Amino acid sequence: MCAVAVGPERAERGVASVPWQPSLCVVQHFPEVVLLYWRSTPRTPRAQSRSRHILRVRGSASGGGRMELLCGPERPFWESNLTLNTDSPDLPECFQMSILPWVPCIYLWLSAPFYILYLRRSSRGYIMMSILNRAKTVLGLVLWLVCWTDLFSAFHEINQGSHKPPIYFVTPLILGMTMLLATFLIQFERLKGIQSSGLLFIFWMISVVFAIVPFRSKIMQAKQLLLSCFNEKPPLFSSTSTDPNACPESTAGFLSKMTFWWFTSMAIKGYKSPLESKDLWSLNKRDKSALVVPDLLRHWEMEKTRAKSRDRTVKDQAAFTKTMPNAASNHVGGATVEEELLLTNHTEAQRPSFLRALIIAYGPYFLIGSAFKMLQDIITFINPQLLRMLIVFTGTAGAPSWWGLTLAFLMFSSSILQTLILHQHFQYCFITGMRLRSGIVGAIYRKVVNLMSVDAQRFMDLTTFLNMLWSAPLQIFLALFFLWQNLGPSVLAGVAVMVLFIPFNAFIAMKTRTYQVEQMKQQDERLRLMSEVLNGIKVLKLYAWEPSFQQKILEIRQRELSILRRTAVLSALSTMAWTSAPFLVALSTFAVYVSVDEKNVLDAEKAFVSLSLFNILRFPLNMLPQVISSMVQASVSLKRIQDFLSHDELDPESVDRTSAASELAVSVLNGKFSWAKNNQVTLENINVLVPQGSLLAVVGPVGCGKTSLISALLGEMEKLEGHVSIRGSVAYVPQQAWIQNASLRENILFGREFEEQKYRAVLEACALTPDLETLPGGDQTEIGEKGINLSGGQRQRVSLARALYSEAEVYLMDDPLSAVDAHVAKHIFEQVIGPEGALRNKTRVLVTHGLSFLPQVDNVLVLMDGRVSEMGSYQQLLQQNGAFAEFLRNHALEENSGDEEDLLSVSFEEEEDVEEFPEDALSNHTDMVDNEPVVNEARRQFIRQISILSNDLENPKKMSRRRRCSEKKHAETASEKKTEPKMEKLIQAEATETGRVKLSVYWGYVSAVGPVLALFICFLYGCQSSAAIGANVWLSEWTNDARNLSSSQPYSLQQRLGVYAALGISQGLLVMLSSFTMALGKIQAARKLHLALLENQIRAPQWFFDTTPVGRILNRFSKDVFVIDEMLPSTLLMFLGTFFASFSTLIVIVCSTPAFALLIVPLALLYFFVQRFYVATSRQLKRLESVSRSPIFSHFSESLSGCSVIRAFGRNQAFISMSDAKVDENQKSYYPGIISNRWLGVRIEFIGNCIVLFAALFAVTGKDSLSPGLVGLSVSYALQVTMSLNWMVRMTSDLESNIVAVERVKEYSETPTEAAWEVSERRPEEDWPTQGQLEFRNYSVRYREGLDLVLRNISLRISGGEKVGIVGRTGAGKSSMTLSLFRLLEAAEGEIIIDGVKISEIGLHDLRGRLTIIPQEPVLFSGTLRMNLDPFEKHTDEEVWRVLELSHLKKFISNQPAKLEMECSEGGENLSVGQRQLVCLARALLRNTRILVLDEATAAVDLETDDLIQSTIHTHFRDCTVLTIAHRLHTIMDYTRVLVLDRGQVAEFDSPSRLISQRGIFYSMVKDAGLL
């Protein structure tokens, strides 16, 4: 009789102990597994016959009868004794002749229609007939002939009289037709340019696998499979054939694509030597911005059109409802208000959906990845079922070894298939993410707004895990289904625990999100302040304010770290939940299972299959909340992007540009303008008529609307009323020169063809020719960000040259002459703008403060408070005797002067000696602050990588421009320019790190954490892994009790449960403790490293900031500090976790099956090589990707600041193409980066799958000596190791990438610092200096080591209370003197003595705190006005109000609601330039020191403000020693003495009257200024 054991009773009936015999009588098919039952009595021949008969009957019942019609009665379709119940298994002949050949044929015929349709729609060109193609075709035809031969031989045998069943005709016929279809597809693919066919590869592979049994002539199919592994040449005329560096993916074969073998060449190259940009492959055409962005924009435009049409439909319905004659019949009093309200609300709700546009554009490709994900989810659950079979096999005495080997190889194959499919899923998801980022960045760039990086990145990150929204529930459902099959209702206990964890995880996620938002605010505040400090570092040093601002930064940092600490606590709890949840679920399930029924015995099969299912559950349970959180973030980003892209654009029709013939080139009739529709009116009642070829000057006080008028003419403002017309092309010269980060020539050409003669004439006219001689690379010299290495005047002249070269018809110039010296202004006016200049026949609108030019213009327009006050010729306005005439009279220094020289801005140089520069002429930026608010804001936004959007969605450019209406660019900087000679680049590109990170860097981080703490963390991880192994070994021993139910058990059930629970819970607690300890360590390291960096940078000498871009320093405080704060610790956490998990697995497998130890060395070597190949390549790809990302933001920032110039010159499309090219360049390094992860994943997981295979094989071969518990333990550990190994390599790479942040921070923490702030033994008296006497003794100075001296042997003495003016040509050394006085430059030789004290011997703050300077560029910091005046709060409010009154600001501040607590925006941009300069004057008055230095302090303000400042200086600083670097000579004509510097030496030093009488340099300068 047969002993049939079903379900739980099997152990009781002792099936496991029955020896295997070949006399198997029956096979029972259960849902999950084929269970074998054996009989213990010998089988008689009659019984055998009866058994065979039973099998046949059963076969007939299940469809075998129908197969017998095809195969004949003597060929059964299925025989268990032939296939399963034998040591030498085989398949029945009928099965071999039907199912095996039909399956691949069915696959091909089902797939072919869809594939042919796909090929018809996607032609890539055709491929010439090659040897490979001929071989495939010939083999296909041969296979067809073989099939027909089989068919005809069957007919022949029938003719010979032998009987043949129908299968001999049906199968060859099906196969023959399929071979013809395959051959047709081979040729059709060639004509459509398909180089490698996945469809045919799978077909041939299935055919070969299924043909292994009936091998015969199937060798040809194997040849076809072999040929399918190779791929054809690229199609003719395809892009790949012309691209010298095409990505090999486009030409890779199907197998190569599935395994990412095509990437191996780059991995090898990256291993041999660090990768460079030139090694990167071109981006695939399908992923380039040129295709991706227009595709998205097309769908977005369709979506906007659809939304508008819906709006119109609803409005029409609303109108129809209101006008219907019978509409009121059902209501008392007509149509209800509610109805109208509902219709109105419905109309408002119709908005275009950006999400729908994204889905239509990129959804179909993403869905392919989703299909792969679904397949992978299903395959995931195969291995637990195979594990169940393996445990049953090992517990069954006498089971045939081939069955165990088959299970082992099936587990291996299932794992391999899962690996390949999973990485294809990731490939599709990441490429979709790439395209999303390119599309969104491109769309937003085209809109030109300031949220680019973060929102696009969020979408990119989300695509990877978006499928988890449906995949996680699917995996949870399947896992619970199989668990129910295994353990029955007991699994509900585990589900209950999981449900309890959901609110716990949700609470942690919610709190973490809250803390993250709070931390981002603190981080943003810290970076904003840090950015201000770095931009204004020179001012901080001059005022000795560094400690105050350092303390402010540290206070913010402390708040940031406290939030980080709270986040770390939550993270530790989350990690514990992640680790403990599956264990607690298992514990509760097992406890309930063994407790509810005494018959329920926990055996190895149930325990370890359940554990593997619980481990599968872990991932979806933890991922689902994260995905939902990411979805919420992405939805916020989506709304922001959608709102921005839906926002109103500048109306291109606001300015009529039709080229109809007219005498008027520019006309504005009844114009009314504002910066935004809902904003207050900026200009109103504007009427301007400018005849063709005329010159119109626009004048008026600060803030009257001059810049706004130019913007209105450009179409940059909202036109509320009126008509604006411009005839012909436009060139625009902005008030603040916009310079690209490109060569000087490229800045002037601005995309136009180079014409030598015209170019030279433009340079000459704009006074740029002398500059070229001093620039290291001539006109090929690279200009830094925002023109940082040009003086203000040079920048303005380059901007003017750009306009002049464009040969436009209308020139709009916004105060281009204020930033240049007087004689240069005169030269430019005469040569370019004036009646005899190069533009004499062009129409010119010139905003100016230079009164001397007004007599030469055709018309003057006077603006007052946003209205046209007066307009007419110069003489007409004088005769009208209005406000303009009054203004002229007040500021003229001579009556009836026939000399038309500039009375306001005076020359420092003679005309024949224009702009002499020292050799180091390129780093002239006396102040790192640039008062272009939009540029600064954009730059700060991108450096911080934080995109914050105001609720009103107003364009920030417009807002800031409204505030700075008609402000003037600062006068040409006269400080010496500081660039190393013989260099074309001022600021070298930041070096990309190459090679492996030094061990000293790792030690630096360990030292910051604390070596003892670091060891303790490792110890805790070891303990946690030991607890985990202990729990599982204990479970293994527990399950072995099931085999010895009859004998007494060493431990009771309660003891088993108790110890298992104790070990598991202790693991969770150890995990939490190790996370807590790691958190303490990371916060300690973060504090130490940031503090060292901050202290060093605050104390760095000025030359360091002159030669290092602010962005580069700020990057240390933003990106690198962020990595140290968050990314590096989490990477370390993951690395330690995966390392100990992998190590634990190897220990368990070796202890279970010692023979496995022999394989550890070869597998470890293979693992090591793959890891090194990957890490070397991946690390460099990440660095290249990081380096190529910066230009995207720099270009965006640059475009943002110059968008009005770009639009005015019509260069929109060119800049869009540049942006796309930079995005593509970044994607070129990003794409190999994600492919490297796929390449690694396939190979590392292959090693992991080998571990699974060998663990199973050794379990099979040693099953006689192994208990099922040990087998379950060993193989279940092996199944988990794949992910651990993969992540360990990834974390190794991330660790090497992230630890670089420590290296970069340490590099800038060890730069040279300036002298001590205080020298205790050399502190001067409290009231020093009492007299204000200054003496320079043989003083020489250079900007930094290796450069020439900028001051040579200066010896002079200035008595206390003297007023000394300092003048000289550009580069003479004027600013160097002030920098030397404050020791921003240290003496090369000689010394400076103030009141008998050598300044080199005292502390820097003791010196700088006793001197006062009003700098050339007024720098304010964000914060209250009071903080800007008195950051150390040393003075009372009364004193502050007094200095505000003296500096003529009291009225303005009194009118502010917050008074002294009025908030100044970043850079003081909510104040005009003049007001900022008055705030600086108030600072000086508040300090009230004996020595005051004015560094061209009034060069950037109008005449009225200049008069206010001068009168205050003359009265309040009457007894002080005043040194003034003068730009307007009339301000120093009443000074005690004037110091004339020439080439760094004292040329003249005497009273103004004597110097004029000597007729030297000073005389010529005064004459040039029209003061003689």
Side-chain angles (χ1 to χ4, degrees), residues 494-515:
V495 173
V497 173
M498 284 193 292
V499 170
L500 287 173
F501 265 105
I502 289 171
F504 178 74
N505 283 329
F507 170 76
I508 287 178
M510 193 170 61
K511 289 298 290 180
T512 303
R513 176 73 186 140
T514 307
Y515 287 151

Side-chain angles (χ1 to χ4, degrees), residues 760-996:
R760 294 296 166 199
V762 167
L763 291 179
E764 190 64 41
C766 295
L768 280 168
T769 309
D771 299 78
L772 296 188
E773 296 166 7
T774 58
L775 296 178
D779 65 354
Q780 295 299 327
T781 302
E782 183 209 22
I783 309 302
E785 293 178 79
K786 297 186 289 180
I788 197 86
N789 48 329
L790 295 178
S791 69
Q794 287 171 322
R795 289 199 291 268
Q796 197 60 275
R797 295 202 303 278
V798 170
S799 179
L800 195 63
R802 176 197 295 140
L804 183 56
Y805 192 84
S806 70
E807 292 190 325
E809 293 166 82
V810 176
Y811 286 78
L812 305 177
M813 293 170 279
D814 190 358
D815 204 11
L817 302 177
S818 64
V820 297
D821 291 335
H823 91 281
V824 180
K826 179 182 174 186
H827 171 91
I828 289 172
F829 189 83
E830 290 174 353
Q831 297 296 318
V832 181
I833 302 169
E836 302 301 321
L839 299 178
R840 56 186 173 275
N841 297 320
K842 306 286 187 180
T843 306
R844 293 141 289 158
V845 177
L846 171 70
V847 172
T848 183
H849 287 108
L851 302 185
S852 65
F853 304 124
L854 298 184
Q856 301 178 60
V857 306
D858 297 317
N859 286 296
V860 178
L861 185 147
V862 183
L863 278 174
M864 297 290 285
D865 299 322
R867 296 168 180 266
V868 177
S869 168
E870 299 173 81
M871 184 173 174
S873 69
Y874 181 75
Q875 293 301 328
Q876 286 172 343
L877 294 183
L878 282 178
Q879 288 166 8
Q880 286 174 13
N881 205 21
F884 177 71
E886 181 69 20
F887 179 74
L888 281 179
R889 275 197 296 274
N890 288 344
H891 294 92
L893 297 177
E894 293 180 323
E895 287 292 332
N896 303 321
S897 172
D899 193 344
E900 306 298 346
E901 299 294 334
D902 187 358
L903 304 183
L904 303 176
S905 50
V906 295
S907 163
F908 293 166
E909 304 171 18
E910 296 186 10
E911 283 186 23
E912 60 270 18
D913 189 17
V914 179
E915 298 269 323
E916 288 193 15
F917 296 85
E919 284 184 289
D920 51 331
L922 264 197
S923 65
N924 175 30
H925 47 295
T926 53
D927 223 315
M928 291 298 288
V929 171
D930 192 306
N931 281 328
E932 176 66 67
V934 183
V935 186
N936 275 347
E937 181 55 31
R939 173 77 28 76
R940 287 189 290 268
Q941 291 285 349
F942 292 126
I943 288 169
R944 296 197 290 262
Q945 296 290 286
I946 292 166
S947 177
I948 298 171
L949 185 62
S950 60
N951 292 329
D952 61 357
L953 301 172
E954 210 166 45
N955 188 331
K957 175 148 186 106
K958 293 180 179 178
M959 294 294 290
S960 54
R961 268 212 306 246
R962 194 173 66 233
R963 293 194 199 103
R964 61 188 172 86
C965 165
S966 198
E967 290 170 7
K968 294 172 65 181
K969 182 65 185 153
H970 316 304
E972 181 162 13
T973 309
S975 70
E976 290 63 46
K977 299 162 188 150
K978 324 179 267 289
T979 297
E980 294 175 25
K982 301 179 183 176
M983 283 177 61
E984 293 195 20
K985 283 183 178 282
L986 160 73
I987 296 164
Q988 294 302 308
E990 190 169 7
T992 307
E993 298 291 339
T994 57
R996 296 185 67 175

